[in-house]
């Protein structure tokens, strides 16, 4: 609170006067010099000015002179008198001090804060006994020495000077209770109103504080000690947890190290069967090696390829003369095998005839062959991905972990060549995706024809009659049919005149007897077992190893 200051006329106005050793308010005495009061500071006579009810009553010095301590002395002596004469006093709450925060706090080794138990010492009004002003006790002379239900109570009135630090330390060290009532902010209007002033001295809890309160400080120290026990337990727990984490980290690092050693050993073990193949891979996949391989294949196969290309419409030549993927990994130039593949699987086939990329790849590898070393490496990648997918991992890359990235990238993907060839044929309109469930591709139209794809039919649409009886020519001969397992087959001969059974040569080098049903439904079925008694039929020379060249 701010220091008490009187109004502008404070040097003349005094709130209380002294007479016969007692403080009086202006309304309690006669008016003027008849009041018989003197200044509590300088001892000069005072005049009571208490006439009328509209203006507040006050005292003034009879002689016109300055008395700087009159106001403060009057406040101080009147407060002590009220405490001694009234049986009550409101004591403040104890809310801690700068050195004793309430509740007590602590910080653990990680910087976390802990709060202790808050000391609950609220404000209360007590009844005083034996209240005496300026009474001495030991080395102290408090403004008021009193007793309440808890025993001795020292009371200090602060008007201009607070309790000194030395006095505070002494009182606290001796365990005495001391409260300070701060009246430094009392105004002249408050002092000249008896009821307001009495309430400020006796009843207002906000203008007083504890200088020393042993019960509260003892409770605080008990809360601090309990907090210290909690803090020690927490720090031990933190240390134990850190020790466990360190141990787990050590074990994890050890396991990772052991795993790294195991992986290195496993990697070396898995790479061992492929060491020679990988050396070969890095040698043949050099740009100059690939260029030499293409040149050698072209020099060997260009004549055969030109022969086959002459049998194919020129509109398809740009498709057949380009290639995608590592075509150099096959044992024939792509000009040859692409032209041969077209003639074998697409040329002359009816619209809607099925084409399988899987069958194309198998035929290409069986007819012209692949580099066996590169194929082994590619199959290692392929089987590695299948195994990973079988174990539930979402793996689409063909890379295997025990090959280096450079080695994985260098291994040719044999399927890309066929996929690229099919994609280019689809772009020309020769092939299209099969609309049937589970299908792959179908012949779309003759190159340059532009005719739309019709419904997929395996046999001609006319009614089923015996062509030999009508014209002497069997129009079923050289028709193509397809089987999910046997692949594509060509009808070569009729078993007997007028019979609906035929002998079919499938492209996996086997004869089968089939029954041809109603041509409108495209129905047919296999009859009997595999027949190997006859030789294979003759096919156009496609330039592969089976051609006899």
């Amino acid at each position: 609170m701010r220091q008490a200051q009187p109004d502008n006329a404070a040097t003349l106005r005094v709130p209380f006067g002294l007479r016969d050793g007692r403080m009086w308010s202006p309304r309690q005495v006669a008016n003027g010099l008849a009041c018989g009061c003197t200044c509590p500071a300088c001892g000069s006579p005072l005049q009571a000015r208490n006439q009328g009810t509209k203006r507040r009553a006050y005292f003034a010095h009879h002689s016109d002179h300055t008395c700087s301590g009159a106001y403060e002395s009057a406040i101080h002596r009147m407060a002590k008198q009220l405490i001694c004469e009234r049986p009550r006093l409101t004591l403040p709450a104890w809310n801690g001090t700068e050195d004793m925060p309430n509740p007590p706090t602590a910080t653990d080794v990680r910087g976390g804060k802990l709060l202790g138990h808050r000391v609950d010492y609220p404000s209360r009004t007590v009844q005083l006994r034996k209240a005496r002003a300026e009474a001495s006790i030991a080395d102290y002379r408090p403004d008021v020495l009193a007793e309440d239900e808890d025993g001795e109570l020292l009371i200090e009135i602060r008007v201009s000077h607070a309790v000194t630090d030395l006095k505070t330390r002494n009182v606290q060290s001796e365990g005495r209770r001391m409260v300070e009532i701060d009246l430094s902010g009392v105004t002249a209007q408050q002092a000249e109103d008896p009821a307001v002033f009495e309430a400020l001295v006796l009843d207002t809890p906000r203008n007083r504080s504890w200088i020393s309160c042993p019960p509260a400080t003892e409770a605080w120290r008990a809360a601090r000690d309990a907090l210290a026990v909690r803090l020690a337990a927490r720090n031990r727990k933190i240390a134990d947890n850190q020790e466990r984490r360190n141990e787990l980290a050590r074990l994890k690092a050890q396991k990772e190290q052991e795993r790294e050693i195991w992986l290195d050993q496993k990697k070396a073990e898995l790479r061992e069967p492929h060491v020679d193949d990988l050396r070969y891979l890095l040698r043949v996949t050099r740009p100059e090696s690939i260029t030499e391989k293409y040149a050698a294949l072209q020099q060997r196969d260009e004549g055969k390829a030109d022969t086959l290309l002459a049998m194919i419409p020129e509109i398809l030549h740009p498709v057949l003369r380009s290639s995608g993927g590592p075509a150099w990994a096959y044992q024939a130039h792509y000009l040859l095998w692409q032209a041969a593949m077209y003639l074998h699987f697409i040329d002359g086939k009816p619209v809607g005839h099925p084409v399988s990329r899987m069958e194309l790849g198998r035929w290409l590898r069986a007819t012209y062959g692949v580099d066996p070393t590169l194929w082994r490496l590619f199959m290692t990648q392929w089987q590695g991905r299948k195994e990973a997918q079988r174990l539930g991992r979402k793996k689409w890359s063909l890379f295997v972990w025990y090959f280096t990235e450079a080695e994985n990238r260098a291994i040719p993907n044999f399927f890309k060549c066929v996929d690229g060839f099919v994609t280019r044929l689809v772009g020309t309109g020769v092939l299209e995706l099969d609309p049937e469930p589970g299908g792959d591709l179908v012949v779309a139209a003759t190159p340059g024809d532009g005719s739309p794809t019709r419904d997929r039919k395996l046999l001609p649409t006319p009614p089923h009659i015996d062509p030999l009886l009508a014209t002497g020519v069997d129009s079923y001969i050289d028709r193509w049919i397809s089987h999910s397992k046997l692949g594509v087959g060509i009808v070569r001969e009729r078993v007997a005149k007028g019979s609906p059974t035929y002998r079919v040569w499938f492209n996996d080098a086997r004869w089968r007897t089939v029954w041809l049903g109603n041509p409108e439904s495209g129905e047919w079925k296999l009859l009997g077992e595999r027949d190997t008694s006859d030789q294979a039929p003759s096919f156009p020379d496609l330039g592969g190893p089976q051609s006899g060249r």
Side-chain angles (χ1 to χ4, degrees):
M1 300 176 66
R2 63 183 178 86
Q3 184 174 338
Q5 295 292 336
D7 297 333
N8 294 336
T11 55
L12 299 177
R13 298 175 64 162
V14 182
F16 307 105
L18 177 63
R19 189 183 69 185
D20 299 333
R22 176 181 175 79
M23 301 298 293
W24 301 86
S25 65
R27 297 288 183 188
Q28 293 178 312
V29 296
N31 188 41
L33 287 174
C35 68
C37 293
T38 60
C39 175
C42 65
S44 299
L46 297 176
Q47 299 181 43
R49 297 182 180 179
N50 55 16
Q51 289 185 337
T53 57
K54 293 184 178 181
R55 299 180 63 184
R56 286 190 298 272
Y58 61 92
F59 289 99
H61 286 82
H62 177 61
S63 60
D64 188 8
H65 75 283
T66 300
C67 180
S68 60
Y71 185 84
E72 291 81 359
S73 296
I75 295 292
H76 192 268
R77 293 191 64 162
M78 189 58 170
K80 291 191 289 183
Q81 179 175 301
L82 286 173
I83 294 173
C84 291
E85 292 182 352
R86 300 292 190 270
R88 74 182 191 279
L89 181 68
T90 296
L91 300 179
W94 189 87
N95 293 316
T97 65
E98 184 177 353
D99 298 330
M100 295 182 177
N102 190 26
T105 62
T107 304
D108 62 30
V109 293
R110 293 188 306 184
K113 288 210 166 186
L114 283 78
L115 293 179
H117 177 70
R118 181 179 181 83
V119 175
D120 186 15
Y121 202 87
S123 173
R124 60 195 177 99
T125 300
V126 297
Q127 301 297 315
L128 299 180
R129 304 188 298 270
K130 301 179 182 179
R132 293 170 293 165
E134 302 296 336
S136 296
I137 178 172
D139 295 333
Y140 306 108
R141 181 177 286 184
D143 290 332
V144 177
L145 176 62
E147 293 182 6
D148 64 2
E149 58 192 30
D150 293 330
E152 179 185 270
L153 178 64
L154 282 62
I155 304 170
E156 293 287 347
I157 310 297
R158 176 181 179 180
V159 179
S160 57
H161 301 290
V163 176
T164 64
D165 293 339
L166 177 60
K167 192 173 187 179
T168 299
R169 288 194 299 270
N170 291 337
V171 171
Q172 291 175 350
S173 64
E174 294 180 8
R176 299 180 184 275
R177 289 189 305 151
M178 176 179 283
V179 66
E180 181 183 68
I181 301 173
D182 187 358
L183 300 179
S184 60
V186 174
T187 64
Q189 289 82 357
Q190 293 172 327
E192 292 168 2
D193 187 326
V196 171
F197 184 76
E198 181 175 334
L200 289 173
V201 174
L202 302 178
D203 303 321
T204 305
R206 65 177 179 273
N207 67 346
R208 59 206 64 203
S209 60
W210 287 101
I211 300 299
S212 176
C213 185
T217 55
E218 289 174 6
W220 182 89
R221 290 188 180 94
R224 180 199 59 188
D225 294 343
L227 179 62
V229 173
R230 288 175 51 205
L231 177 64
R234 172 177 283 195
N235 285 336
R236 283 195 302 272
K237 184 176 181 181
I238 292 173
D240 292 342
N241 290 339
Q242 185 61 45
E243 185 177 352
R244 283 194 294 270
R245 283 193 293 269
N246 292 341
E247 179 64 16
L248 290 175
R250 187 189 65 78
L251 293 175
K252 182 179 179 182
Q254 180 180 343
K255 288 183 179 179
E256 289 178 353
Q257 184 178 9
E258 293 173 353
R259 176 174 171 77
E260 288 295 327
I261 295 173
W262 178 85
L263 286 175
D264 290 342
Q265 295 173 346
K266 191 67 176 177
K267 184 176 182 179
E269 177 186 340
L270 294 174
R271 282 179 62 87
E272 180 61 28
H274 307 286
V275 170
D276 293 337
D277 289 352
L278 291 172
R279 290 198 191 101
Y280 173 81
L281 168 73
L282 297 180
R283 185 172 68 254
V284 301
T285 54
R286 293 197 299 263
E288 58 271 19
S289 299
I290 293 175
T291 301
E292 292 175 2
K293 178 74 176 292
Y294 270 130
L297 292 176
Q298 184 173 0
Q299 183 178 3
R300 188 194 71 185
D301 298 336
E302 192 171 17
K304 299 176 184 179
D306 290 341
T307 301
L308 298 182
L309 286 171
M311 303 168 61
I312 301 173
E314 291 187 4
I315 192 172
L316 293 178
H317 285 197
V319 173
L320 301 175
R321 290 185 179 276
S322 61
S323 177
W328 54 268
Y330 288 98
Q331 301 293 58
H333 197 277
Y334 61 83
L335 290 173
L336 176 61
W337 66 257
Q338 288 185 158
M341 185 178 289
Y342 173 82
L343 291 172
H344 189 73
F345 287 96
I346 301 173
D347 185 63
K349 305 303 183 292
V351 172
H353 178 75
V355 177
S356 167
R357 271 174 278 209
M358 184 179 297
E359 290 297 329
L360 295 181
R362 289 173 178 171
W363 177 86
L364 174 58
R365 294 189 296 275
T367 304
Y368 293 103
V370 295
D371 187 312
T373 302
L374 300 181
W375 178 257
R376 281 196 302 271
L377 292 173
F378 177 63
M379 283 293 98
T380 300
Q381 287 184 323
W382 191 264
Q383 294 300 327
R385 183 173 73 174
K386 288 181 63 177
E387 178 63 16
Q389 292 174 347
R390 185 187 68 81
L391 295 175
R393 292 196 288 269
K394 295 182 179 179
K395 178 175 171 59
W396 303 108
S397 170
L398 287 172
F399 284 21
V400 290
W401 68 273
Y402 48 87
F403 291 170
T404 66
E405 183 174 356
E407 292 167 346
N408 277 300
R409 293 188 182 279
I411 297 173
N413 186 335
F414 288 86
F415 299 158
K416 282 187 176 180
C417 300
V418 176
D419 287 341
F421 180 54
V422 167
T423 300
R424 293 194 300 278
L425 289 176
V426 170
T428 63
V430 173
L431 296 177
E432 68 179 10
L433 296 178
D434 190 347
E436 295 289 335
D440 188 3
L441 301 161
V442 293
V443 175
T446 303
D449 182 7
S451 58
T453 302
R454 297 191 294 268
D455 292 339
R456 177 174 173 177
K457 298 294 183 182
L458 300 180
L459 296 176
T461 56
H464 183 68
I465 59 175
D466 186 352
L468 295 179
L469 296 179
T471 62
V473 178
D474 193 338
S475 60
Y476 288 176
I477 301 301
D478 292 337
R479 292 284 182 176
W480 295 79
I481 61 176
S482 177
H483 189 271
S484 60
K485 294 183 178 179
L486 300 177
V488 178
I490 183 170
V491 180
R492 277 306 189 186
E493 60 184 21
R494 200 167 198 169
V495 174
K497 184 177 180 180
S499 171
T501 58
Y502 291 81
R503 284 161 57 81
V504 179
W505 177 259
F506 285 94
N507 60 8
D508 63 349
R510 68 180 69 185
W511 284 103
R512 285 298 180 91
T513 302
V514 301
W515 173 81
L516 301 180
N518 186 349
E520 293 183 356
S521 65
E523 180 183 7
W524 65 274
K525 64 181 179 179
L526 292 172
L527 297 176
E529 297 298 327
R530 177 178 176 180
D531 186 354
T532 59
S533 60
D534 296 327
Q535 298 296 319
S538 60
F539 288 93
D541 183 6
L542 301 180
Q546 297 178 354
S547 66
R549 296 186 181 182

